[in-house]
Amino acid sequence: MFNLHKISWREGINFFLTGLIIFTIGLAPVSFSALAQDSNKPSNPSSVSPPPKNPSTENTPSSTSGASNATTANASKNVTRGDRQMMAELAEANLAEIQTSRLALEKTQNTQVKQFAQHMLDDHTQALQELQTLAKSKGIQLPDSPDLTHRLLITTMRAMTAEAFDTQYIQRMGINAHQRTSELLEKIQRSAQDADFKALATKQLPIVQNHLQRAQQMTRPAVQK
């Protein structure tokens, strides 16, 4: 009985161990599969890729800038070549009057010439600013210096004596230049296609004609020092 009891006890142990091993082996694939699935999940929530951006909400500043540039370009295209050319000529005429009037204030010793030069400087500076404002609204770049003829004239007049300068300033800028500018403004009134530009010429023409009349009255013998 003892041997039989001993054998049965050992067999029982072996049977229990064998069952335990089989049970453990059966659980291993399940545990390994779960572990594999866990390893595929990001351990840090912050590492999750952000959702894709909406293209329609990106590059807003660039889109706005592009629209602004397109608007300016379209405005410039709406101004004819002839109007742009006349705007440039009018800008150069004003710049010539401004620079020669400044030179006159430096060189002349004549009171009337000095007063005339100051008047020309004030009026033509305002006229140029009005033209620049209009051109900017149309997307047009104006010249920033007089034409070559007036640049050479300014260089020549700078070297003159005060008395010779007064004569040349009144004749060339007071009379000749204002005659040409008056004719240009009349041409703009007749042929300009841009209504705003035409209105500006209508406003400035009487001022230029007044300058011309004043200069014509300032003949050299009548000028009093």
Side-chain angles (χ1 to χ4, degrees):
M1 291 292 295
F2 178 80
N3 290 335
L4 181 60
H5 181 267
K6 186 175 182 180
I7 294 173
S8 298
W9 179 78
R10 288 180 177 176
E11 289 177 349
I13 293 298
N14 290 335
F15 180 80
F16 173 79
L17 293 176
T18 301
L20 180 61
I21 293 171
I22 293 173
F23 177 78
T24 303
I25 293 174
L27 289 178
V30 177
S31 300
F32 180 80
S33 176
L35 181 61
Q37 291 178 1
D38 290 340
S39 65
N40 291 332
K41 296 179 181 180
S43 59
N44 186 356
S46 63
S47 64
V48 178
S49 299
K53 295 181 179 179
N54 186 354
S56 63
T57 62
E58 294 184 4
N59 300 326
T60 301
S62 299
S63 301
T64 303
S65 176
S68 177
N69 292 337
T71 301
T72 302
N74 291 335
S76 178
K77 290 179 180 178
N78 291 335
V79 180
T80 65
R81 179 179 298 179
D83 283 4
R84 292 197 297 269
Q85 178 62 33
M86 288 187 292
M87 284 186 186
E89 291 176 8
L90 187 56
E92 290 175 341
N94 282 307
L95 287 164
E97 291 286 354
I98 290 170
Q99 292 191 14
T100 53
S101 295
R102 286 174 177 166
L103 183 59
L105 292 173
E106 296 175 6
K107 291 184 68 68
T108 187
Q109 303 297 318
N110 185 285
T111 302
Q112 288 187 350
V113 173
K114 189 180 291 291
Q115 291 174 347
F116 179 80
Q118 185 62 59
H119 191 187
M120 297 304 101
L121 179 59
D122 294 341
D123 284 357
H124 284 283
T125 297
Q126 181 177 349
L128 179 61
Q129 290 173 347
E130 291 173 349
L131 179 61
Q132 289 172 333
T133 299
L134 175 63
K136 183 177 181 180
S137 71
K138 307 290 182 180
I140 297 172
Q141 182 69 38
L142 294 176
D144 56 3
S145 64
D147 60 276
L148 178 59
T149 299
H150 282 99
R151 292 202 301 270
L152 294 175
L153 176 61
I154 292 170
T155 300
T156 301
M157 293 175 66
R158 192 181 299 277
M160 293 178 179
T161 63
E163 186 174 357
F165 177 89
D166 290 348
T167 301
Q168 292 299 313
Y169 173 65
I170 295 301
Q171 180 62 47
R172 296 196 178 211
M173 298 307 301
I175 297 177
N176 297 349
H178 280 99
Q179 286 176 336
R180 289 191 296 270
T181 303
S182 179
E183 292 171 358
L184 174 60
L185 290 170
E186 290 173 347
K187 179 182 176 182
I188 294 169
Q189 283 184 316
R190 293 192 309 268
S191 60
Q193 300 299 308
D194 186 271
D196 296 328
F197 186 31
K198 185 175 293 189
L200 180 66
T202 300
K203 175 185 176 182
Q204 294 185 356
L205 179 58
I207 300 174
V208 172
Q209 290 174 335
N210 176 263
H211 293 172
L212 176 58
Q213 291 173 0
R214 289 189 58 178
Q216 288 170 336
Q217 294 169 0
M218 294 177 63
T219 58
R220 183 68 186 114
V223 174
Q224 300 297 323
K225 293 187 179 181

